[in-house]
Amino acid sequence: MSGFASWLGGQGGYLNPKLTAFTQVDDNGDRGIVAEEDIEEGQQLMLIPLSCCLHMPTQQEQAASQGQHTAVVQYLSTEQTHLSPFLSTVLLLLYEVGQGTASRFHAYLQTLPQEHDCVLCWSKGQLSELEGTAIEIAGDSTRTVFEREVLPIMQHQQQLWPPDVQTYEAFELYAGLVQSRAFHMLSENWLTGLAQEGVELYMLPAIDMINHATEPGKRNTLLRKSSAETTVKVDGAPLTLHGFFTMKAERDISKGEQLLHTYGDLSDAQLLQTYGFVEAFQPGYENPHNFVPVPVHLVLQSCSESGDETVPACFESKKRLLEQAKLLRNAFVVTAQEALPDDLVTAVQVMHMEAHEFSELEKVEATDDMGEASTSRPASAEPQPAFLLGTGFLNDTSDAQAVCTTLLRLVDKLLRRYPTSLKEDAAALHRDRPMPHRWKMAVKVRMGEKELLQAMKQAVVMLMLDSQGPDDGDSDEDDASSPDDDGEEEDSAGSGDQHQEHGTGAEAAVARLLGAKASSHTGLQDESLHKKHRHK
């Protein structure tokens, strides 16, 4: 610690003496920064000059340096321009590691851990515990990327990367450290000053020791970047800093309290995939940013398996209309805030429309596409659905039971993608024997997503019950709302008599949609027709 603090101070950096870094903060060996004394709000916690940050400079920064960058930076920025910012940063880090004590970052490199839990280095058996989750594990393996893209570059430039860093083990370690510790910053267009030119990665000494808190009330500091020049004194002599990162106390910090800030509004799956951790279990608290992606192909498959004779009618035309209306993209998204997304319900409703009902909807959308309703659609960088029927229309249609049955079938398919049931996950957490750390993190990711699917299931069941008349009697679907049920239920009965009264069914919904379109032309608003931003 003293060597690191001296190195940082020698370059104009600052670390509050009331802080202790590299402190173990949990039973898993994770480290953090802890206050050794009370710190008042507004006090400087740390200042890290850009010169202390390991970072592939932008073209603007290289031009300003007048060729003062290292040989590896020159090589990567001129000969390997096709590399992603991630791989460029990994190669830059491996270069500095290969320099040993000669590296100007040696004191910082000595503080980096020699192991991590990033998903990119999990075994196949460990990755199997993440099946069905929002974590994307498709694509080339870490070893394939190393052998195809990274190793040939290092072998071609032996003077930059000595043999001891040309191993897969070294790449896996330091790629994981970049993945889990680098900060992602939007790069600026030097002409416009707008941060819209891509992503820059920074390895930030000391700051990368501060852990994340999802709950805003637990955070006590915030990362800020300044491009302004400032002058500090080092050993009594002035030193000009060309930009720096800084963190201050955003509130009073008590003795023994850990410094915490935010890595972003991220789900458990995103935290694990990007940073190699999930937060500890807290009774009664779920990550509000968790979500479940619902693949389009599963939605269409659930509709096709419904046994409803209306689904095959105009199947491809229905699919095409939904695609044109921006309702069939990569996936629908279930969140705690929207357990039953309107765009998902709309897609299933359309697939269950009879041919003449769908024909009416096509006419409505064709009229809208001709520009008559174009003024009702606000401009947005993100494509918005052209229409949303939502549950308000569904409650008035005679095919509500068929739509709800399909949605329940969809939930069942989503739950079956996981290697375990919710009951099994809950039981595993309460076993007496210790649970491997990576396995425990996978269980937490699975459970968070399954809880959302249970909420989706309950919302469908309530919708089904609401759509029944007062004389419909009790429904066996009540059992589906039990929190102990994992969604493995039998398909509901067929829907042979659900489409008899076309005038009061989906056709009526189309008529209402047409009315809503017409009212929008005159400046009126219909609450049932609305636009919605998708979760990203």
Side-chain angles (χ1 to χ4, degrees):
M1 172 64 182
S2 59
F4 171 77
S6 298
W7 169 77
L8 183 64
Q11 299 193 59
Y14 171 78
L15 185 63
N16 193 307
K18 296 180 180 179
L19 299 174
T20 298
F22 318 118
T23 302
Q24 183 170 325
V25 294
D26 59 30
D27 295 335
N28 300 316
D30 294 327
R31 303 180 302 172
I33 297 181
V34 175
E36 288 297 305
E37 302 179 30
D38 292 343
I39 299 176
E40 295 182 356
E41 179 180 352
Q43 284 191 15
Q44 185 83 43
L45 299 177
M46 55 187 70
L47 184 147
I48 311 298
L50 286 180
S51 60
C52 293
C53 304
L54 206 152
H55 159 66
M56 269 298 297
T58 63
Q59 292 182 351
Q60 180 185 5
E61 290 170 338
Q62 292 184 53
S65 70
Q66 299 179 348
Q68 295 179 2
H69 286 292
T70 59
V72 68
V73 169
Q74 297 288 350
Y75 173 72
L76 291 174
S77 61
T78 58
E79 303 296 327
Q80 302 296 334
T81 56
H82 66 285
L83 290 176
S84 66
F86 174 76
L87 287 180
S88 294
T89 305
V90 174
L91 282 166
L92 181 59
L93 180 57
L94 285 170
Y95 165 80
E96 296 295 345
V97 171
Q99 297 299 300
T101 57
S103 170
R104 67 186 184 93
F105 294 98
H106 179 69
Y108 167 56
L109 299 178
Q110 293 297 104
T111 70
L112 295 177
Q114 294 302 296
E115 59 182 14
H116 55 74
D117 287 309
C118 277
V119 173
L120 60 83
C121 68
W122 284 28
S123 67
K124 289 184 178 180
Q126 292 167 339
L127 288 175
S128 68
E129 296 295 328
L130 297 172
E131 289 180 2
T133 68
I135 293 181
E136 300 174 4
I137 55 177
D140 295 327
S141 68
T142 307
R143 185 175 291 277
T144 298
V145 172
F146 169 72
E147 294 176 348
R148 185 183 62 202
E149 299 187 47
V150 176
L151 183 58
I153 293 175
M154 293 195 292
Q155 289 177 332
H156 183 65
Q157 294 291 327
Q158 299 273 355
Q159 72 278 16
L160 296 178
W161 292 280
D164 59 333
V165 298
Q166 293 184 22
T167 66
Y168 173 70
E169 290 73 21
F171 174 75
E172 183 183 71
L173 170 62
Y174 290 103
L177 292 178
V178 171
Q179 174 78 13
S180 60
R181 304 176 78 84
F183 287 77
H184 298 239
M185 301 287 180
L186 288 177
S187 59
E188 291 186 358
N189 181 312
W190 66 279
L191 288 175
T192 65
L194 299 178
Q196 298 178 340
E197 298 300 307
V199 174
E200 298 180 60
L201 299 184
Y202 290 84
M203 299 288 286
L204 305 181
I207 290 177
D208 63 8
M209 289 293 301
I210 303 178
N211 290 317
H212 163 85
T214 296
E215 293 184 76
K218 292 186 175 181
R219 303 169 192 163
N220 48 32
T221 186
L222 182 67
L223 177 64
R224 293 181 173 87
K225 180 188 176 185
S226 173
S227 299
E229 288 191 357
T230 186
T231 300
V232 298
K233 286 191 175 183
V234 176
D235 297 330
L239 176 65
T240 299
L241 305 181
H242 301 279
F244 55 89
F245 289 88
T246 182
M247 304 192 81
K248 294 183 179 181
E250 298 297 317
R251 60 171 174 80
D252 290 345
I253 301 175
S254 302
K255 177 181 179 180
E257 187 177 351
Q258 184 185 175
L259 293 193
L260 295 171
H261 69 143
T262 176
Y263 299 169
D265 294 336
L266 304 175
S267 67
D268 287 342
Q270 289 172 318
L271 287 171
L272 181 55
Q273 183 171 24
T274 306
Y275 298 105
F277 77 93
V278 293
E279 293 178 286
F281 284 90
Q282 302 176 53
Y285 178 80
E286 294 292 338
N287 187 338
H289 308 300
N290 282 343
F291 65 92
V292 178
V294 181
V296 166
H297 77 273
L298 282 185
V299 177
L300 297 177
Q301 188 181 89
S302 298
C303 292
S304 298
E305 295 174 357
S306 67
D308 186 352
E309 62 184 13
T310 64
V311 173
C314 313
F315 185 91
E316 290 301 323
S317 296
K318 292 174 180 177
K319 181 180 173 183
R320 185 165 53 251
L321 177 65
L322 291 172
E323 289 172 344
Q324 292 172 349
K326 312 301 182 186
L327 281 161
L328 287 189
R329 289 178 273 189
N330 292 332
F332 301 94
V333 181
V334 175
T335 66
Q337 295 74 34
E338 192 176 23
L340 191 56
D342 281 346
D343 53 358
L344 172 59
V345 176
T346 296
V348 176
Q349 282 182 265
V350 170
M351 297 306 297
H352 277 279
M353 283 183 175
E354 294 192 7
H356 74 282
E357 296 168 342
F358 176 67
S359 177
E360 289 299 316
L361 179 61
E362 280 189 304
K363 292 178 182 178
V364 172
E365 286 306 300
T367 301
D368 191 45
D369 288 340
M370 291 174 63
E372 294 186 18
S374 60
T375 56
S376 67
R377 296 182 180 178
S380 173
E382 181 182 354
Q384 298 296 298
F387 65 91
L388 290 173
L389 301 180
T391 58
F393 286 139
L394 181 63
N395 288 337
D396 293 341
T397 66
S398 57
D399 60 357
Q401 295 296 303
V403 169
C404 289
T405 300
T406 291
L407 289 170
L408 288 175
R409 182 179 296 105
L410 174 61
V411 174
D412 181 62
K413 288 181 178 294
L414 293 168
L415 286 168
R416 289 178 184 273
R417 296 188 306 170
Y418 299 99
T420 58
S421 69
L422 184 57
K423 291 179 182 178
E424 291 170 334
D425 286 341
L429 289 178
H430 292 89
R431 292 188 306 185
D432 292 334
R433 58 176 179 157
M435 181 185 299
H437 184 50
R438 291 182 180 178
W439 192 67
K440 187 174 183 179
M441 292 192 293
V443 169
K444 187 172 189 295
V445 170
R446 293 199 305 256
M447 289 187 69
E449 294 185 9
K450 291 174 188 176
E451 293 289 351
L452 293 179
L453 290 175
Q454 288 296 335
M456 176 183 173
K457 187 174 186 178
Q458 293 178 25
V460 175
V461 171
M462 293 304 299
L463 188 60
M464 180 178 281
L465 295 176
D466 289 344
S467 69
Q468 295 176 349
D471 297 328
D472 287 345
D474 295 333
S475 169
D476 291 337
E477 298 295 344
D478 285 271
D479 294 338
S481 62
S482 169
D484 292 330
D485 182 14
D486 290 316
E488 299 173 1
E489 61 191 57
E490 296 296 326
D491 291 342
S492 298
S495 53
D497 60 351
Q498 293 178 357
H499 304 280
Q500 296 178 358
E501 298 181 12
H502 303 310
T504 60
E507 189 177 60
V510 173
R512 285 180 57 189
L513 177 59
L514 182 57
K517 299 271 187 179
S519 68
S520 70
H521 300 169
T522 60
L524 301 178
Q525 297 295 322
D526 188 309
E527 292 183 358
S528 299
L529 188 68
H530 57 281
K531 309 296 179 187
K532 186 175 294 294
H533 290 284
R534 292 179 60 83
H535 180 91
K536 295 181 69 176

